[in-house]
Amino acid sequence: MTDNADVVVIGAGLAGLVATAELTRAGRRVLLLDTEPSSGIGGQAWWSFGGLFLVGSPEQRRLGVHDSAELALADWLGSAGFAADTGPGGPDHHGRAWAERFVDFAAGEMRPWLHGLGVRWFPLVQWAERGGGLAGGHGNSVPRFHVTWGTGPGIVEPFARALLDAHRAGLVDVRTRHRATGLVERDGRVVGVRGDVLARHAVERAVPSSREVVGGFEVSASAVVVATGGIGANHDLVRATWPATAGRLPERMLSGVPDSVDGSGIVAARDAGAAVVHTGRMWHYPEGITNHSPVWGRHGIRILAGPSSLWLDADGHRLPAPLFPGFDSLGALQHIAGRGDDHSWFVLDKTILGSEFALSGSEQNPDLTGKDVRLLLQRVLPGAVGPVEAFAEESPEFLWAETPTALAARMNALTGTRRIDPDALERTIRERDQQVATGLGKDHQVVATAMARRYVVDRVIRVAKPHAMLDPAHGPLLAVRLSVLTRKTLGGVLTDASARALRPDGTVLPGLWAVGEAAGFGGGGVHGHRALEGTFLGGCLHTGRVAGRALAAELGD
């Protein structure tokens, strides 16, 4: 089968949809390919919480948050840890340049552009990754996590709508169940895509689909855009590329992405001659729990915890400061991986659960996803929201007990070990409670929790009033076993300022472009070694927009 189009876009996730929307808006003809059935349009973004990193927004200003592009860039650079050599030819030259442009985008055009497309935001800006170190280190100095009204589906919707409009206008042809296996090259230029046609398989969104091959295809175009995402579902590849200096990832991990996120597009780009860089840079979460109602293989959900829970390693020891819940996820992961463990623990009580636990993902937040104001108001009432309550009741990883001794016994029973000493667990909780009782205290986590309550949003819906965990009025006690949850690839195809793929020698590989996670969210690694929350969806939006507009202009020459 041979077809002709101006551009072939591989991948119908958010970055691919945005690039397609920009191309068709300019009158270019697009062939959009995706391995999954049509139910999967929107890809991983559809499942997300819909959080966006916005800077100096009206929502921030209404809450008294003072932000600026200068402060946001300082936070970004403090988190990224880019190489000192950022000049041409330096390992982070393109990544840093993309970072500077993205911060300008987040402080400028992103919000009005999305607002014009009908996107709106929950007015209470969150603080998803606090950092907790020195001023020049990792983390956000102010809350910047803007949750989209409608969560991930709310972000996907305007671009899915644009896809339908373009299809009606004859500007886009969508071919689902078309798995790209390689790029077609001619005279040093990428001129098309080849691959397998898979058997039609009607399944719900993200449910693993058949890989039965029923045919092949080859399509040609003036340019190809790779928008296939990262490697998060390929656990063997994740473990193989994880840097040895960051510890050893466990054999037992959960997946925060559907099974189709396997890195195949990045491999195809590399085989065609593109440079693939920073493969060891990843962003996985240590706060994963097994989904009691899984959709894809090894399906895990991330707990978005407030700062009050005690975070203990597999032996029951507190993680070192500032590795508190919600402060430094990657640092906590590296600490756990450095010990060689496959799990850690949150220890808390029923009051903290009700105030501080949230779950990442569109399906775990029906109030925000469904734009249900009446259901949303329940977040300010005592007790946990419905999906959290469901996990607390149904998950075998949520362990309730009246005393530390009984809790330790249940923790050991779940893991089949005796690693949690009941006396040590009780001592740890009592020491923490003594610090809370002072009203001041020297414990860094207690101090940081008290500081968090100075922010009105944290005080109202995210941080419990300080209290003793051993006070029966706040019981029973709860331990939650946490597992590593794979999620984001921070490295990828090296791209220039227009999202054109580059060869290892730094020259442009004609005809090939890369966006979203496949391009490290820009330049092969816009985040450097660490990311600020809310920048993944934003990176897909930014790279797709830049590539679509630049490619449309180039085709017009």
Side-chain angles (χ1 to χ4, degrees):
M1 179 176 62
T2 303
D3 291 89
N4 288 284
D6 294 324
V7 181
V8 176
V9 176
I10 312 173
L14 182 60
L17 291 178
V18 174
T20 298
E22 292 294 336
L23 286 161
T24 56
R25 186 174 63 85
R28 311 304 174 202
R29 294 178 298 115
V30 176
L31 178 59
L32 179 61
L33 307 176
D34 199 88
T35 301
E36 295 306 298
S38 57
S39 60
I41 296 294
Q44 188 179 336
W46 192 94
W47 294 95
S48 75
F49 199 12
L52 291 176
F53 178 95
L54 296 174
V55 178
S57 70
E59 290 79 13
Q60 286 177 306
R61 291 193 292 272
R62 283 193 289 268
L63 293 167
V65 175
H66 303 288
D67 200 6
S68 67
E70 292 76 16
L71 180 60
L73 182 59
D75 287 346
W76 192 294
L77 298 180
S79 301
F82 289 127
D85 178 11
T86 57
D92 286 312
H93 170 68
H94 291 287
R96 171 155 181 165
W98 272 91
E100 292 174 353
R101 288 192 295 272
F102 177 79
V103 170
D104 286 342
F105 179 59
E109 292 184 61
M110 179 157 58
R111 188 185 183 283
W113 172 56
L114 292 173
H115 192 276
L117 295 174
V119 178
R120 300 294 184 268
W121 294 271
F122 182 49
L124 303 183
V125 183
Q126 307 290 302
W127 206 335
E129 186 81 6
R130 299 168 191 265
L134 299 177
H138 167 63
N140 287 293
S141 297
V142 297
R144 299 189 176 105
F145 193 73
H146 296 66
V147 177
T148 300
W149 188 231
T151 66
I155 283 288
V156 169
E157 192 277 332
F159 302 103
R161 185 175 67 246
L163 182 69
L164 289 175
D165 292 342
H167 178 71
R168 294 188 189 101
L171 288 171
V172 65
D173 184 5
V174 181
R175 303 266 179 90
T176 57
R177 306 299 287 151
H178 280 58
R179 177 176 62 188
T181 59
L183 303 178
V184 180
E185 305 162 69
R186 186 178 303 121
D187 299 326
R189 182 182 182 89
V190 173
V191 295
V193 181
R194 67 171 63 91
D196 299 325
V197 179
L198 304 181
R200 290 290 167 185
H201 190 193
V203 296
E204 296 297 320
R205 182 183 292 273
V207 172
S209 58
S210 168
R211 290 301 183 260
E212 178 189 356
V213 177
V214 297
F217 73 90
E218 183 171 312
V219 294
S220 60
S222 298
V224 174
V225 179
V226 174
T228 51
I231 67 172
N234 189 337
H235 288 195
D236 289 339
L237 183 57
V238 167
R239 277 188 288 266
T241 51
W242 181 256
T245 55
R248 179 178 59 83
L249 290 179
E251 290 299 312
R252 184 186 66 83
M253 296 192 294
L254 303 175
S255 286
V257 296
D259 293 21
S260 58
V261 185
D262 59 4
S264 57
I266 297 174
V267 172
R270 183 194 63 200
D271 291 348
V276 176
V277 297
H278 307 313
T279 56
R281 297 180 186 177
M282 305 175 216
W283 188 264
H284 306 306
Y285 294 112
E287 315 104 312
I289 51 176
T290 303
N291 193 343
H292 58 76
S293 303
V295 177
W296 54 79
R298 300 170 290 193
H299 190 173
I301 300 295
R302 183 193 177 198
I303 295 176
L304 300 171
S308 299
S309 299
L310 290 171
W311 199 339
L312 309 182
D313 63 28
D315 290 317
H317 306 134
R318 289 179 70 180
L319 270 59
L323 303 182
F324 314 132
F327 280 72
D328 185 355
S329 296
L330 190 60
L333 173 59
Q334 291 172 345
H335 179 81
I336 293 163
R339 289 173 44 87
D341 293 328
D342 71 352
H343 70 281
S344 60
W345 300 94
F346 280 159
V347 171
L348 58 153
D349 58 32
K350 187 173 183 179
T351 295
I352 294 173
L353 174 78
S355 298
E356 299 195 6
F357 266 32
L359 301 172
S360 183
S362 57
E363 83 284 14
Q364 299 298 329
N365 295 274
D367 51 354
L368 291 162
T369 302
K371 303 180 181 180
D372 188 327
V373 175
R374 180 175 298 179
L375 191 59
L376 181 66
L377 292 175
Q378 294 181 10
R379 290 183 180 254
V380 300
L381 299 176
V385 295
V388 173
E389 288 282 6
F391 269 91
E393 294 174 3
E394 300 182 35
S395 172
E397 297 178 307
F398 279 64
L399 309 175
W400 296 94
E402 297 294 337
T403 68
T405 298
L407 190 64
R410 296 204 65 191
M411 295 163 75
N412 286 332
L414 179 63
T415 59
T417 69
R418 296 184 178 179
R419 297 180 72 172
I420 305 298
D421 177 82
D423 293 335
L425 178 61
E426 181 167 0
R427 184 168 56 250
T428 296
I429 298 173
R430 287 193 181 279
E431 288 174 348
R432 177 263 180 200
D433 285 357
Q434 286 176 335
Q435 290 290 299
V436 171
T438 67
L440 296 170
K442 64 181 179 181
D443 186 288
H444 288 182
Q445 183 175 0
V446 171
V447 172
T449 301
M451 185 67 180
R453 285 180 56 83
R454 292 182 58 186
Y455 177 47
V456 61
V457 175
D458 282 344
R459 188 167 63 251
V460 172
I461 66 169
R462 288 293 289 153
V463 183
K465 185 177 180 179
H467 62 272
M469 286 188 188
L470 294 178
D471 181 348
H474 297 282
L477 294 171
L478 171 64
V480 183
R481 184 177 70 171
L482 310 173
S483 302
V484 175
L485 180 74
T486 62
R487 187 62 66 86
K488 294 296 181 184
T489 307
L490 300 188
V493 178
L494 183 64
T495 59
D496 68 4
S498 298
R500 297 181 299 179
L502 302 177
R503 298 187 178 98
D505 64 3
T507 60
V508 171
L509 177 56
L512 185 62
W513 304 62
V515 296
E517 194 172 352
F521 301 96
V526 69
H527 295 104
H529 294 273
R530 291 173 183 260
L532 296 174
E533 292 285 3
T535 58
F536 300 127
L537 286 180
C540 291
L541 293 165
H542 187 224
T543 55
R545 185 176 189 253
V546 167
R549 293 185 177 190
L551 182 49
E554 181 174 297
L555 292 173
D557 292 340

PDB file of all heavy atoms in Angstrom, residues 274 493-496 499-503 507-510 512-514:
ATOM      1  N   ALA A 274      19.187   9.296  13.172  1.00  0.00           N
ATOM      2  CA  ALA A 274      19.040  10.387  14.136  1.00  0.00           C
ATOM      3  C   ALA A 274      19.843  10.083  15.402  1.00  0.00           C
ATOM      4  O   ALA A 274      20.010   8.924  15.803  1.00  0.00           O
ATOM      5  CB  ALA A 274      17.566  10.580  14.495  1.00  0.00           C
ATOM      6  N   VAL A 493      15.196  11.709  20.966  1.00  0.00           N
ATOM      7  CA  VAL A 493      15.767  12.148  19.691  1.00  0.00           C
ATOM      8  C   VAL A 493      16.267  13.588  19.826  1.00  0.00           C
ATOM      9  O   VAL A 493      15.531  14.467  20.294  1.00  0.00           O
ATOM     10  CB  VAL A 493      14.722  12.048  18.565  1.00  0.00           C
ATOM     11  CG1 VAL A 493      15.303  12.558  17.247  1.00  0.00           C
ATOM     12  CG2 VAL A 493      14.232  10.606  18.409  1.00  0.00           C
ATOM     13  N   LEU A 494      17.495  13.815  19.440  1.00  0.00           N
ATOM     14  CA  LEU A 494      18.084  15.156  19.487  1.00  0.00           C
ATOM     15  C   LEU A 494      17.449  16.020  18.406  1.00  0.00           C
ATOM     16  O   LEU A 494      17.409  15.637  17.233  1.00  0.00           O
ATOM     17  CB  LEU A 494      19.596  15.059  19.262  1.00  0.00           C
ATOM     18  CG  LEU A 494      20.395  16.353  19.354  1.00  0.00           C
ATOM     19  CD1 LEU A 494      20.335  16.935  20.762  1.00  0.00           C
ATOM     20  CD2 LEU A 494      21.850  16.106  18.947  1.00  0.00           C
ATOM     21  N   THR A 495      16.925  17.182  18.819  1.00  0.00           N
ATOM     22  CA  THR A 495      16.265  18.074  17.856  1.00  0.00           C
ATOM     23  C   THR A 495      16.779  19.495  17.989  1.00  0.00           C
ATOM     24  O   THR A 495      17.236  19.917  19.055  1.00  0.00           O
ATOM     25  CB  THR A 495      14.739  18.083  18.059  1.00  0.00           C
ATOM     26  OG1 THR A 495      14.437  18.511  19.394  1.00  0.00           O
ATOM     27  CG2 THR A 495      14.141  16.707  17.832  1.00  0.00           C
ATOM     28  N   ASP A 496      16.659  20.238  16.896  1.00  0.00           N
ATOM     29  CA  ASP A 496      17.057  21.649  16.915  1.00  0.00           C
ATOM     30  C   ASP A 496      15.874  22.510  17.350  1.00  0.00           C
ATOM     31  O   ASP A 496      14.842  22.006  17.800  1.00  0.00           O
ATOM     32  CB  ASP A 496      17.619  22.071  15.562  1.00  0.00           C
ATOM     33  CG  ASP A 496      16.577  22.110  14.441  1.00  0.00           C
ATOM     34  OD1 ASP A 496      15.367  21.883  14.711  1.00  0.00           O
ATOM     35  OD2 ASP A 496      16.957  22.372  13.278  1.00  0.00           O
ATOM     36  N   ALA A 499      12.473  21.558  16.019  1.00  0.00           N
ATOM     37  CA  ALA A 499      12.102  20.157  16.239  1.00  0.00           C
ATOM     38  C   ALA A 499      12.549  19.246  15.109  1.00  0.00           C
ATOM     39  O   ALA A 499      12.076  18.112  15.002  1.00  0.00           O
ATOM     40  CB  ALA A 499      10.609  20.001  16.503  1.00  0.00           C
ATOM     41  N   ARG A 500      13.486  19.711  14.272  1.00  0.00           N
ATOM     42  CA  ARG A 500      14.066  18.836  13.250  1.00  0.00           C
ATOM     43  C   ARG A 500      15.053  17.881  13.917  1.00  0.00           C
ATOM     44  O   ARG A 500      15.849  18.290  14.769  1.00  0.00           O
ATOM     45  CB  ARG A 500      14.785  19.649  12.177  1.00  0.00           C
ATOM     46  CG  ARG A 500      13.882  20.569  11.386  1.00  0.00           C
ATOM     47  CD  ARG A 500      14.653  21.337  10.320  1.00  0.00           C
ATOM     48  NE  ARG A 500      15.681  22.189  10.915  1.00  0.00           N
ATOM     49  CZ  ARG A 500      16.519  22.956  10.220  1.00  0.00           C
ATOM     50  NH1 ARG A 500      16.452  22.965   8.890  1.00  0.00           N
ATOM     51  NH2 ARG A 500      17.405  23.709  10.833  1.00  0.00           N
ATOM     52  N   ALA A 501      15.019  16.606  13.521  1.00  0.00           N
ATOM     53  CA  ALA A 501      15.945  15.625  14.071  1.00  0.00           C
ATOM     54  C   ALA A 501      17.362  15.914  13.584  1.00  0.00           C
ATOM     55  O   ALA A 501      17.575  16.313  12.427  1.00  0.00           O
ATOM     56  CB  ALA A 501      15.524  14.219  13.671  1.00  0.00           C
ATOM     57  N   LEU A 502      18.315  15.704  14.467  1.00  0.00           N
ATOM     58  CA  LEU A 502      19.717  15.930  14.148  1.00  0.00           C
ATOM     59  C   LEU A 502      20.481  14.608  14.136  1.00  0.00           C
ATOM     60  O   LEU A 502      20.153  13.679  14.876  1.00  0.00           O
ATOM     61  CB  LEU A 502      20.347  16.871  15.171  1.00  0.00           C
ATOM     62  CG  LEU A 502      19.696  18.251  15.322  1.00  0.00           C
ATOM     63  CD1 LEU A 502      20.383  19.041  16.425  1.00  0.00           C
ATOM     64  CD2 LEU A 502      19.733  19.017  13.995  1.00  0.00           C
ATOM     65  N   ARG A 503      21.511  14.551  13.317  1.00  0.00           N
ATOM     66  CA  ARG A 503      22.409  13.403  13.288  1.00  0.00           C
ATOM     67  C   ARG A 503      23.390  13.495  14.460  1.00  0.00           C
ATOM     68  O   ARG A 503      23.511  14.557  15.095  1.00  0.00           O
ATOM     69  CB  ARG A 503      23.169  13.352  11.976  1.00  0.00           C
ATOM     70  CG  ARG A 503      22.316  13.179  10.718  1.00  0.00           C
ATOM     71  CD  ARG A 503      23.236  12.974   9.521  1.00  0.00           C
ATOM     72  NE  ARG A 503      22.513  12.756   8.273  1.00  0.00           N
ATOM     73  CZ  ARG A 503      22.268  13.690   7.372  1.00  0.00           C
ATOM     74  NH1 ARG A 503      22.680  14.947   7.592  1.00  0.00           N
ATOM     75  NH2 ARG A 503      21.629  13.398   6.256  1.00  0.00           N
ATOM     76  N   THR A 507      24.343  17.741  12.423  1.00  0.00           N
ATOM     77  CA  THR A 507      23.690  18.235  11.215  1.00  0.00           C
ATOM     78  C   THR A 507      22.244  17.744  11.162  1.00  0.00           C
ATOM     79  O   THR A 507      21.874  16.742  11.791  1.00  0.00           O
ATOM     80  CB  THR A 507      24.434  17.765   9.950  1.00  0.00           C
ATOM     81  OG1 THR A 507      24.446  16.334   9.922  1.00  0.00           O
ATOM     82  CG2 THR A 507      25.859  18.296   9.948  1.00  0.00           C
ATOM     83  N   VAL A 508      21.423  18.460  10.402  1.00  0.00           N
ATOM     84  CA  VAL A 508      20.008  18.109  10.282  1.00  0.00           C
ATOM     85  C   VAL A 508      19.850  16.837   9.456  1.00  0.00           C
ATOM     86  O   VAL A 508      20.516  16.660   8.422  1.00  0.00           O
ATOM     87  CB  VAL A 508      19.227  19.264   9.621  1.00  0.00           C
ATOM     88  CG1 VAL A 508      17.798  18.843   9.292  1.00  0.00           C
ATOM     89  CG2 VAL A 508      19.230  20.486  10.533  1.00  0.00           C
ATOM     90  N   LEU A 509      18.983  15.929   9.932  1.00  0.00           N
ATOM     91  CA  LEU A 509      18.596  14.760   9.154  1.00  0.00           C
ATOM     92  C   LEU A 509      17.354  15.155   8.364  1.00  0.00           C
ATOM     93  O   LEU A 509      16.248  15.225   8.920  1.00  0.00           O
ATOM     94  CB  LEU A 509      18.304  13.575  10.070  1.00  0.00           C
ATOM     95  CG  LEU A 509      17.806  12.285   9.413  1.00  0.00           C
ATOM     96  CD1 LEU A 509      18.780  11.792   8.349  1.00  0.00           C
ATOM     97  CD2 LEU A 509      17.574  11.205  10.464  1.00  0.00           C
ATOM     98  N   PRO A 510      17.485  15.448   7.075  1.00  0.00           N
ATOM     99  CA  PRO A 510      16.358  15.997   6.313  1.00  0.00           C
ATOM    100  C   PRO A 510      15.142  15.072   6.342  1.00  0.00           C
ATOM    101  O   PRO A 510      15.252  13.856   6.239  1.00  0.00           O
ATOM    102  CB  PRO A 510      16.927  16.123   4.894  1.00  0.00           C
ATOM    103  CG  PRO A 510      18.407  16.188   5.072  1.00  0.00           C
ATOM    104  CD  PRO A 510      18.702  15.314   6.245  1.00  0.00           C
ATOM    105  N   LEU A 512      13.018  14.443   8.794  1.00  0.00           N
ATOM    106  CA  LEU A 512      12.594  13.815  10.049  1.00  0.00           C
ATOM    107  C   LEU A 512      12.486  14.853  11.158  1.00  0.00           C
ATOM    108  O   LEU A 512      13.405  15.662  11.373  1.00  0.00           O
ATOM    109  CB  LEU A 512      13.573  12.731  10.478  1.00  0.00           C
ATOM    110  CG  LEU A 512      13.155  11.926  11.721  1.00  0.00           C
ATOM    111  CD1 LEU A 512      11.852  11.185  11.479  1.00  0.00           C
ATOM    112  CD2 LEU A 512      14.246  10.953  12.138  1.00  0.00           C
ATOM    113  N   TRP A 513      11.379  14.795  11.887  1.00  0.00           N
ATOM    114  CA  TRP A 513      11.092  15.683  12.998  1.00  0.00           C
ATOM    115  C   TRP A 513      10.677  14.827  14.188  1.00  0.00           C
ATOM    116  O   TRP A 513      10.204  13.694  14.016  1.00  0.00           O
ATOM    117  CB  TRP A 513       9.966  16.651  12.632  1.00  0.00           C
ATOM    118  CG  TRP A 513      10.241  17.464  11.383  1.00  0.00           C
ATOM    119  CD1 TRP A 513      10.434  16.981  10.122  1.00  0.00           C
ATOM    120  CD2 TRP A 513      10.354  18.877  11.287  1.00  0.00           C
ATOM    121  NE1 TRP A 513      10.662  18.003   9.235  1.00  0.00           N
ATOM    122  CE2 TRP A 513      10.613  19.183   9.925  1.00  0.00           C
ATOM    123  CE3 TRP A 513      10.258  19.910  12.198  1.00  0.00           C
ATOM    124  CZ2 TRP A 513      10.782  20.480   9.466  1.00  0.00           C
ATOM    125  CZ3 TRP A 513      10.411  21.221  11.740  1.00  0.00           C
ATOM    126  CH2 TRP A 513      10.678  21.492  10.404  1.00  0.00           C
ATOM    127  N   ALA A 514      10.826  15.330  15.393  1.00  0.00           N
ATOM    128  CA  ALA A 514      10.429  14.563  16.586  1.00  0.00           C
ATOM    129  C   ALA A 514       9.856  15.505  17.626  1.00  0.00           C
ATOM    130  O   ALA A 514      10.349  16.628  17.813  1.00  0.00           O
ATOM    131  CB  ALA A 514      11.620  13.800  17.163  1.00  0.00           C
TER     132      ALA A 514
END
